[in-house]
């Protein structure tokens, strides 16, 4: 669908709806809503004629104008953090003074199976509101939080729109894949996987394509706030899924009043590569040929820039609209999004069409509340040939990097030029390769709550998350220089299905036990189940599109049966995962000074052995609000001071569903082999965590912040081992006796530097330090340290090299490389015989900074951050742009050219290619102008211009130091290895937002 046509349709729709509502005018009521505490105006308050849908909102100055029926008797005035009031209509002018609600004593945050005031929390939690999100062109919700939360590390696995991110909270808590936090959306826990089919392109040596982000189906304009639960007191309520932290996403809910329309339109343009990989240009390449005494025949006589040639300048588009309305008995909200986000490289696009609909209705004298939320998303991807594990023949990025910059891309007759040096032709790859995916996702829930007694309520929730994905991959046979593809062609049709369901029952008790003692308790039962399957059918040996001059517009996936070689189907069905849970939490508040919280959850999972089906996860936390003591109540310096302490245990079940069961693989007809040996004694991996925290505010909240120290200890480490012979050739899952230790601290600071009517300035800063180490990591029953190797180094001359190790008294994924000793007299690399521990790939420091400066109607917002204390291995420099390539006429990087290396030096993986990963990145800067109301209908009009990925300060020589190419081995993840990633794009966007 054309996005511009869709945008016009949306505009006509909400104008029609608005005009319909506007004709029901009978009498006009005006007035102003203020804060009873200081008389300041309350902006955004909702004013509704009781029992009707006639309503409006206050403007920035607290004033309102309402069209009401002539027989209207009362107005209902409500606003967040204020007590709702009913006011009799006694005339045409009504002024209202709202009293702050109890919730205004602290921001309301979403915790497990409920909400709480932030000032009542005994656990470590960070909350980010929509106004504080990263801005500009952003493809996934997790990127809204980059550098916003102390201790939360979010790294994009590449610059391609929609690619997966590596998210870690307070370090590594597992040796295996599945270290992502649990995502909960409006009370519904997600599976964490995606239904976009995975594809491994063995043909041509292209390797595995990067995963996509599982949160792409969420409209980021719909997110109201994100709460990050960090310590065990906050996460133990999620039991076996809380060890890696919990990220709770709350979407915007319906508001009462007359029909309200919010809309926005934005466009974005490509502003070039944020950072380029420094290879030689044509003039420098010619100098290099002379420097290394290479023949003049390697000079192709032209001057080309491959990365300029593969770059595209397609405009990004984003259209969104939301409708809301209702009264005190029922309200609804619906939203629609259409967007297209092209990447910097041709044939790249991420398009989204997302709709949501939610509502809440009260009945039976408001004792029964029925609510529902539905999100439906259709996401399409166009992907270029960029993969994680490309072999010696490489992929699009390696072809562009190694292309001889003096060689034209085309011959004189217009056909592609194919050098025989192994570089490939990047323009040919763009023309021959296509990879299109479609992903449809539905997340819906219906809930009902009933007030059983004055202080007791029951709630039931049912949710389903269903996603289906299809993928068509084609590589035309005219492309030359790729074994298994050239003259043959390749086509693959893939599909995947992911379905999870949640059933939750909770009882909530909230009462004042005495005048000073308050109790809030929740008890519940939850059942969660998930199913996943993936299938792929492929063929090679087609008889079309083998000649560039005789192409037909019929992809191989449309005639897959025409392939001469039909590859065996690849079909995988994941065993159903089921989780049955019982949980409870009790919170005591004595005199707003002393708080105590205790939780317990029991999880039963079919992933575990018959002897250990259930795991138990307790926690306890306490808080003392010192500033509420008499000796500090009148302090002019300290406005808030509290200390926290918590301890608890969380677990992990993020490993294959068949880990404790006998599993078999069907290879072909009558050919079945055992793939996993059952272990009835497999236990839950557990993480115990202690947290000590301090929250403070000075000068009436003008300066505020928090400090946390934590100590995490993960035991019963889940480990995949080879079964002991004479067992079948299969894997065997066991628990290891070691410890994964994470110790560190987090600091968050904020300041309202200036707060005047026409000028304001706010600053926020956060940073975290984490030290990760494996201890007591020995083979069972021995004192011999275990060694698990991972981190595949890919490419000609280094295939099979593993560059990272997990072993005793070292951080997870420590670099394990042969030492580099410089160059000998002939310019050959001097590389040691045996690998050694060579450095830490885990950032020890993660930090972020943001500021907003307001002057009259202008606001400048800046967000940035970085990481430090770690190393990155450049697999790209090792075997793609190394000096030896110039002998064959391939391009080389400037670092190799400026070294004393000789052209006879052999390719080898070593500490030479370890680089500092330290960086600071300016993520985005936005200038917003608040126009205000325009004419009779347009309200709160604002215009903005925003830049993303404006610059990065780093010594790393690759495209982006914030990178993590997946080079895992046998299911053990790698970290901080860079290999031919999709480059990061700098963008500039502009747009408008308004209401009707």
């Amino acid at each position: 669908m054309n996005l511009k046509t869709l945008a016009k349709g949306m505009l006509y729709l909400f104008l029609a709806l608005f005009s319909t509502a506007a004709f029901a005018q009978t009498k006009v009521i005006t007035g102003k809503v203020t804060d009873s505490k200081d008389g300041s105006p309350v902006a955004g308050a909702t004013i509704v004629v009781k029992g009707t849908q006639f309503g409006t909102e206050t403007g920035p100055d607290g004033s309102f104008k309402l069209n009401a029926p002539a027989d209207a008797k009362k107005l209902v005035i409500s606003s967040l953090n204020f007590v709702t009031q009913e006011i009799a209509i006694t005339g045409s002018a009504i002024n209202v003074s709202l009293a702050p609600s109890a919730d205004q004593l602290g921001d309301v945050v979403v915790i497990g199976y409920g909400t709480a005031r932030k000032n009542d929390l005994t656990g470590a939690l960070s909350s980010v509101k929509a106004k504080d999100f990263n801005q500009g062109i952003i493809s996934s919700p997790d990127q809204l939080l980059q550098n916003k939360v102390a201790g939360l590390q979010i790294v994009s696995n590449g610059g391609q729109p929609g690619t997966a991110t590596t998210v870690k909270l307070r370090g590594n808590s597992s040796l295996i894949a599945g270290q992502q936090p649990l995502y909960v959306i409006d009370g519904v826990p997600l599976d964490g996987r995606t239904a976009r089919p995975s594809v491994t392109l063995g043909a041509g040596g292209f390797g595995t394509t990067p995963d996509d982000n599982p949160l792409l189906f969420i409209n980021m304009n719909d997110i109201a706030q994100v709460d990050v639960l960090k310590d065990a007191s906050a996460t133990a309520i999620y039991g076996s899924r809380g060890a890696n932290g919990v990220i709770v996403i709350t979407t915007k809910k319906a508001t009462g009043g007359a029909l309200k329309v919010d809309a926005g339109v934005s466009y974005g343009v490509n502003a070039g590569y944020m950072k380029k990989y420094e290879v030689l240009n044509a003039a420098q390449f010619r100098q290099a040929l002379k420097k290394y005494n290479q023949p003049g025949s390697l000079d192709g006589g032209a001057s080309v820039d491959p990365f300029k040639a593969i770059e595209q300048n397609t405009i990004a588009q984003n259209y969104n609209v939301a409708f809301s309305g209702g009264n005190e008995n029922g309200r609804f909200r619906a939203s629609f999004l259409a967007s297209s986000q092209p990447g910097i490289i041709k044939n790249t696009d991420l398009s989204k069409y997302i709709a949501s609909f939610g509502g809440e209705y009260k009945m039976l004298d408001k004792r029964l509340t029925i609510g529902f939320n539905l999100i439906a998303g259709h996401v399409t991807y166009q992907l270029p040939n960029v993969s994680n594990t490309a072999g010696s023949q490489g992929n699009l990025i390696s072809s562009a990097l190694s292309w001889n910059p003096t060689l034209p891309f085309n011959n004189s007759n217009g056909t592609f030029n194919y050098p025989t040096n192994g570089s490939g032709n990047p323009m040919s790859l763009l023309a021959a390769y296509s990879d299109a995916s479609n992903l449809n996702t539905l997340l819906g829930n219906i809930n009902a709550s009933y007030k059983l007694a004055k202080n007791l309520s029951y709630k039931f929730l049912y949710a389903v998350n269903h996603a289906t994905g299809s993928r068509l991959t084609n590589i035309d046979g005219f492309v030359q220089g790729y074994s298994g593809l050239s003259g043959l062609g390749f086509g693959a049709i893939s599909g995947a299905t992911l379905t999870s369901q949640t059933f939750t029952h909770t009882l909530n008790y909230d009462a004042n036990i005495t005048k000073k003692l308050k109790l809030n308790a929740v008890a519940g039962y939850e059942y969660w189940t998930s199913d996943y399957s993936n299938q792929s059918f492929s063929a090679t040996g087609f008889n079309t599109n083998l000649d560039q001059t005789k192409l037909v517009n019929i992809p191989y996936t449309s005639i897959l049966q025409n392939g001469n070689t039909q590859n065996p189907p690849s079909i995988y069905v994941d065993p159903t995962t089921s989780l049955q849970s019982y949980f409870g939490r009790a919170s005591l508040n004595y005199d707003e000074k002393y708080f105590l919280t205790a939780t317990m959850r029991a999880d039963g999972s079919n992933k575990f052995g018959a002897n250990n089906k259930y795991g138990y996860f307790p926690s306890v936390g306490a808080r003392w609000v010192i500033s509420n003591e008499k000796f500090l109540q009148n302090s002019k310096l300290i406005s808030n001071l509290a200390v926290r302490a918590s301890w608890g245990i969380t677990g992990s079940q993020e490993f294959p569903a068949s880990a404790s069961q006998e599993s078999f693989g069907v290879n072909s007809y009558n050919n079945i082999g055992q793939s996993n040996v059952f272990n009835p004694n497999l236990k839950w991996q557990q993480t115990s965590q202690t947290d000590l925290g301090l929250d403070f505010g000075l000068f009436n909240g003008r300066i505020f912040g928090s400090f946390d120290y934590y100590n995490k200890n993960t035991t019963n480490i889940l480990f995949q081992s080879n079964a002991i012979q004479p067992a079948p050739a299969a894997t065997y899952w066991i628990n290891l006796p070691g410890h994964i230790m994470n110790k560190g601290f987090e600091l968050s600071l904020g300041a309202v530097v200036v707060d005047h009517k026409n000028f304001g300035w706010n600053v926020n800063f956060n940073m975290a330090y984490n030290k990760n180490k494996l201890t007591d990591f020995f083979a069972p029953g021995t004192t011999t340290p275990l060694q698990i190797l991972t981190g595949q180094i890919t490419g000609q001359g280094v295939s099979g090299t593993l560059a990272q190790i997990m072993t005793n008294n070292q951080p997870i994924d420590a670099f394990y490389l042969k030492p580099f000793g410089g160059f000998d007299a002939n310019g050959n690399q001097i590389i040691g015989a045996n690998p050694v521990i060579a450095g830490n790939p885990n950032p020890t420091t993660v930090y972020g900074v943001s500021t907003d400066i307001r002057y009259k109607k202008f606001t400048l917002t800046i967000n940035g951050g970085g990481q430090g204390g770690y190393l990155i291995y450049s697999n790209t420099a090792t075997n793609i742009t190394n000096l030896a390539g110039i002998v064959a006429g391939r391009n080389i990087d400037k670092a190799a050219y400026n070294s004393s290396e000789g052209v006879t030096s052999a390719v080898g993986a070593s500490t030479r290619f370890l680089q500092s990963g330290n960086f600071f990145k300016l993520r985005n800067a936005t200038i917003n102008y608040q126009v205000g109301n325009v004419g009779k209908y347009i309200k709160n009009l604002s215009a903005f211009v925003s830049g993303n990925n404006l610059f990065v300060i780093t010594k790393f020589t690759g495209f982006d130091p914030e990178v993590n190419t997946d080079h895992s081995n046998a299911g053990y993840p790698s970290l901080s290895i860079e290999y031919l990633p999709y480059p990061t794009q700098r963008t500039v966007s502009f747009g408008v937002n308004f209401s009707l």
Side-chain angles (χ1 to χ4, degrees):
M1 182 185 296
N2 184 279
L3 289 179
K4 291 184 177 178
T5 302
L6 181 61
K8 290 179 180 178
M10 288 183 178
L11 181 62
Y12 295 149
L13 176 61
F14 66 67
L15 284 175
L17 289 171
F18 181 81
S19 60
T20 300
F23 283 121
Q25 302 175 8
T26 53
K27 71 176 181 178
V28 177
I29 300 173
T30 61
K32 187 173 184 178
V33 179
T34 57
D35 187 336
S36 64
K37 183 173 62 176
D38 56 14
S40 61
V42 177
T46 301
I47 297 92
V48 181
V49 177
K50 186 175 182 180
T52 74
Q53 293 188 356
F54 288 86
T56 188
E57 283 190 352
T58 57
D61 61 351
S63 63
F64 68 90
K65 181 179 180 181
L66 172 64
N67 298 305
D71 59 350
K73 303 297 184 184
K74 287 186 177 182
L75 295 180
V76 179
I77 299 95
S78 61
S79 183
L80 184 65
N81 296 329
F82 291 91
V83 176
T84 300
Q85 288 193 36
E86 288 189 11
I87 302 294
I89 300 175
T90 57
S92 60
I94 297 176
N95 294 321
V96 182
S97 180
L98 292 182
S101 66
D103 286 342
Q104 198 175 17
L105 295 174
D107 291 337
V108 175
V109 296
V110 181
I111 56 177
Y113 308 98
T115 60
R117 298 181 307 172
K118 191 172 184 180
N119 281 2
D120 293 354
L121 295 176
T122 60
L125 181 149
S126 293
S127 184
V128 184
K129 309 293 185 183
K131 64 181 181 62
D132 299 317
F133 290 159
N134 287 317
Q135 302 176 31
I137 298 178
I138 295 175
S139 60
S140 60
D142 46 9
Q143 294 175 347
L144 297 171
L145 303 179
Q146 283 183 302
N147 298 123
K148 291 292 184 179
V149 175
L152 181 65
Q153 180 192 5
I154 301 175
V155 177
S156 296
N157 294 349
Q160 181 174 304
T163 194
T165 55
T166 299
V167 182
K168 294 184 180 182
L169 184 61
R170 293 185 168 182
N172 287 311
S173 296
S174 178
L175 299 187
I176 57 177
Q179 299 183 22
Q180 303 284 88
L182 170 68
Y183 290 98
V184 178
I185 301 177
D186 292 330
V188 181
L190 299 187
D191 180 279
R193 292 177 290 182
T194 173
R196 193 187 80 178
S198 59
V199 173
T200 299
L201 300 175
F206 292 142
T208 305
T209 56
D211 292 331
D212 70 322
N213 194 297
L215 303 177
L216 293 177
F217 68 93
I218 302 172
N219 181 354
M220 288 176 284
N221 299 292
D222 284 347
I223 299 176
Q225 73 181 58
V226 180
D227 297 296
V228 181
L229 315 186
K230 300 179 180 181
D231 72 338
S233 178
T235 63
I237 195 72
Y238 290 104
S240 65
R241 306 180 71 184
N244 299 323
V246 181
I247 296 179
V248 182
I249 298 174
T250 303
T251 61
K252 296 175 181 177
K253 297 299 184 289
T255 57
L259 179 67
K260 180 185 178 183
V261 181
D262 296 304
V265 179
S266 66
Y267 300 93
V269 295
N270 169 29
Y273 298 93
M274 181 190 72
K275 184 178 181 296
K276 291 187 176 181
Y277 196 101
E278 296 296 331
V279 293
L280 305 183
N281 60 30
Q284 293 166 338
F285 186 83
R286 292 186 174 97
Q287 293 174 358
L289 293 177
K290 296 177 181 178
K291 175 181 177 179
Y292 298 112
N293 298 316
Q294 298 303 304
S297 59
L298 295 178
D299 185 346
S303 179
V304 299
D305 182 347
F307 279 94
K308 190 68 176 177
I310 66 175
E311 184 180 354
Q312 70 176 352
N313 292 287
T314 307
I315 293 177
Q317 305 173 65
N318 187 296
Y319 308 94
N320 68 86
V321 61
F323 309 88
S324 63
N327 55 36
E328 68 267 26
N329 293 317
R331 53 190 65 183
F332 77 94
R333 186 179 188 274
S335 71
F336 305 91
L337 168 75
S339 70
S340 174
Q341 184 181 348
I344 194 170
I345 294 177
K346 293 175 180 177
N347 297 350
T348 307
D349 183 70
L350 172 68
S351 294
K352 302 180 187 180
Y353 303 90
I354 303 173
S356 70
F357 184 49
E360 182 179 276
Y361 295 88
K362 298 181 184 296
M363 53 198 73
L364 302 181
D365 295 326
K366 298 185 179 180
R367 294 176 67 90
L368 175 65
T369 301
I370 303 293
F372 61 90
N373 290 283
L374 179 67
I375 300 174
H378 175 71
V379 179
T380 64
Y381 309 80
Q382 295 289 336
L383 308 173
N385 180 16
V386 178
S387 58
N388 292 332
T389 55
S392 60
Q393 293 176 302
N395 60 19
L396 177 63
I397 302 301
S398 67
S399 183
L401 284 171
S402 59
W403 182 262
N404 183 336
T406 69
L407 192 67
F409 297 117
N410 298 87
N411 298 310
S412 57
N413 63 356
T415 60
F416 291 116
N417 189 357
Y418 293 104
T420 58
N421 61 10
S423 70
N425 186 321
M427 305 310 293
S428 172
L429 279 176
L430 281 173
Y433 184 92
S434 68
D435 190 353
S437 300
N438 287 276
L439 180 62
N440 297 303
T441 304
L442 176 71
L443 175 64
N445 79 75
I446 184 169
N447 58 84
S449 60
Y450 186 77
K451 193 172 183 179
L452 300 171
K454 180 180 178 181
N455 301 312
L456 181 66
S457 62
Y458 162 77
K459 183 175 182 179
F460 168 75
L461 178 144
Y462 169 72
V464 61
N465 182 199
H466 179 70
T468 59
S470 63
R471 187 169 183 175
L472 304 178
T473 307
N474 292 272
I475 309 175
D476 287 339
F478 72 79
V479 66
Q480 296 181 24
Y482 295 92
S483 175
L485 286 177
S486 300
L488 297 170
F490 173 85
I493 301 174
S494 309
T497 302
L498 175 66
T499 303
S500 64
Q501 299 180 77
T502 305
F503 300 83
T504 307
H505 302 265
T506 55
L507 281 171
N508 188 280
Y509 182 76
D510 194 353
N512 294 331
I513 306 302
T514 68
K515 186 176 181 180
K516 292 186 176 183
L517 181 63
K518 300 177 183 178
L519 170 65
N520 177 268
V522 61
Y525 168 83
E526 186 168 79
Y527 181 77
W528 181 85
T529 182
S530 181
D531 294 277
Y532 175 81
S533 63
N534 188 100
Q535 58 278 333
S536 181
F537 305 88
S538 63
T540 60
F542 295 90
N543 56 14
T544 59
N545 292 347
L546 305 181
D547 186 334
Q548 184 187 344
T549 63
K550 300 177 181 179
L551 300 179
V552 296
N553 191 26
I554 302 176
Y556 295 147
T557 48
S558 295
I559 52 171
L560 198 68
Q561 65 274 20
N562 187 48
N564 186 45
T565 301
Q566 298 289 320
N567 299 318
S570 175
I571 300 175
Y572 175 75
V573 179
D574 197 14
T576 298
T577 297
S578 298
L579 188 67
Q580 178 176 260
S581 308
Y582 303 88
F583 56 87
R585 178 180 59 230
S587 300
L588 291 171
N589 170 355
Y590 182 76
D591 201 23
E592 299 293 335
K593 300 176 185 178
Y594 314 108
F595 299 84
L596 181 67
T597 302
T599 65
M600 170 60 79
R601 180 164 177 138
D603 279 341
S605 173
N606 66 342
K607 283 188 175 183
F608 286 92
N611 299 332
N612 293 288
K613 286 291 185 184
Y614 276 85
Y616 301 93
F617 309 99
S619 77
V620 62
R623 178 187 183 91
W624 176 27
V625 183
I626 306 172
S627 54
N628 284 348
E629 297 288 357
K630 290 183 178 180
F631 58 84
L632 276 181
Q633 283 183 346
N634 297 319
S635 173
K636 295 182 179 180
L637 171 63
I638 299 174
S639 50
N640 177 45
L641 182 63
V643 291
R644 292 176 279 106
S646 68
W647 170 88
I649 296 175
T650 51
S652 175
Q653 59 152 10
E654 298 305 311
F655 61 99
S658 59
S660 67
Q661 308 167 18
E662 280 190 320
S663 301
F664 297 86
V666 180
N667 302 310
S668 60
Y669 174 72
N670 207 28
N671 181 5
I672 300 176
Q674 187 169 359
S675 57
N676 193 75
V677 177
F678 83 101
N679 179 3
N681 297 314
L682 191 66
K683 298 179 181 180
W684 296 77
Q685 180 172 295
Q686 293 186 338
T687 299
S688 64
Q689 182 174 183
T690 301
D691 186 282
L692 301 175
L694 172 71
D695 302 317
F696 60 90
L698 306 175
F699 304 110
N700 199 28
R702 294 290 293 268
I703 299 175
F704 53 90
S706 65
F707 177 88
D708 281 86
Y709 167 80
Y710 61 87
N711 187 337
K712 294 171 64 177
N713 179 12
T714 300
T715 56
N716 292 332
I717 299 171
L718 289 165
F719 178 78
Q720 181 181 351
S721 178
N722 292 323
I724 301 174
Q725 298 302 312
T731 57
Y732 180 67
W733 283 84
I734 60 175
N735 298 102
L736 293 178
H739 302 262
I740 302 174
M741 304 298 298
N742 287 279
K743 298 180 181 180
F745 66 85
E746 299 165 349
L747 175 66
S748 297
L749 292 172
V752 181
V753 183
V754 180
D755 187 17
H756 297 308
K757 180 179 179 180
N758 291 324
F759 182 69
W761 180 21
N762 300 310
V763 179
N764 290 278
F765 172 79
N766 70 81
M767 68 91 62
Y769 172 83
N770 183 76
K771 184 177 181 180
N772 171 261
K773 182 187 287 189
L774 270 171
T775 63
D776 301 323
F777 194 58
F778 304 120
T782 74
T783 57
T784 303
L786 280 168
Q787 293 187 341
I788 302 173
L789 296 177
T790 186
Q792 299 182 57
I793 304 302
T794 312
Q796 189 172 17
V798 294
S799 296
T801 301
L802 297 173
Q804 295 182 318
I805 190 171
M806 303 178 190
T807 192
N808 193 46
N809 287 328
Q810 296 296 330
I812 292 177
D813 290 333
F815 284 113
Y816 188 60
L817 292 159
K818 294 178 180 179
F820 173 65
F823 305 99
D824 63 18
N826 297 318
N828 296 318
Q829 296 187 79
I830 302 172
I831 298 177
N834 299 308
V836 297
I837 302 295
N840 189 358
N842 301 278
T844 56
T845 305
V846 180
Y847 62 94
V849 62
S850 63
T851 185
D852 60 87
I853 302 173
R854 172 183 51 82
Y855 177 70
K856 294 186 177 180
K857 293 187 176 184
F858 287 96
T859 302
L860 169 65
T861 303
I862 299 174
N863 297 296
Q867 299 176 172
Y870 73 112
L871 299 174
I872 298 174
Y873 185 86
S874 177
N875 194 167
T876 304
T878 304
N879 83 300
I880 299 298
T881 59
N882 56 62
L883 188 63
I886 200 166
V887 177
R890 297 193 300 270
N891 204 359
I892 61 175
D893 61 58
K894 290 183 179 179
Y897 176 77
N898 292 324
S899 73
S900 55
E901 186 176 14
V903 294
T904 60
S905 181
V907 175
S910 72
T911 57
R912 174 189 178 188
F913 300 104
L914 285 176
Q915 302 180 25
S916 170
N918 299 355
F919 73 89
F920 172 81
K921 182 184 291 186
L922 183 59
R923 295 200 181 279
N924 64 272
T926 301
I927 298 176
N928 185 83
Y929 180 72
Q930 189 68 36
V931 180
N933 297 342
V934 177
K936 188 176 180 180
Y937 299 113
I938 297 177
K939 300 177 181 179
N940 300 321
L941 175 66
S942 64
F944 68 88
V945 59
S946 184
N948 287 73
N949 298 319
L950 296 178
F951 66 79
V952 62
I953 301 172
T954 183
K955 293 182 179 179
F956 179 66
T957 58
F959 291 111
D960 190 344
E962 194 172 29
V963 66
N964 182 36
T965 309
D966 182 8
H967 276 214
S968 59
N969 180 56
Y972 296 103
S974 62
L975 185 65
S976 298
I977 293 178
E978 182 262 10
Y979 186 55
L980 305 174
Y982 193 105
T984 300
Q985 179 183 18
R986 182 189 296 115
T987 59
V988 175
S989 59
F990 53 92
V992 295
N993 295 296
F994 58 94
S995 299
L996 295 175

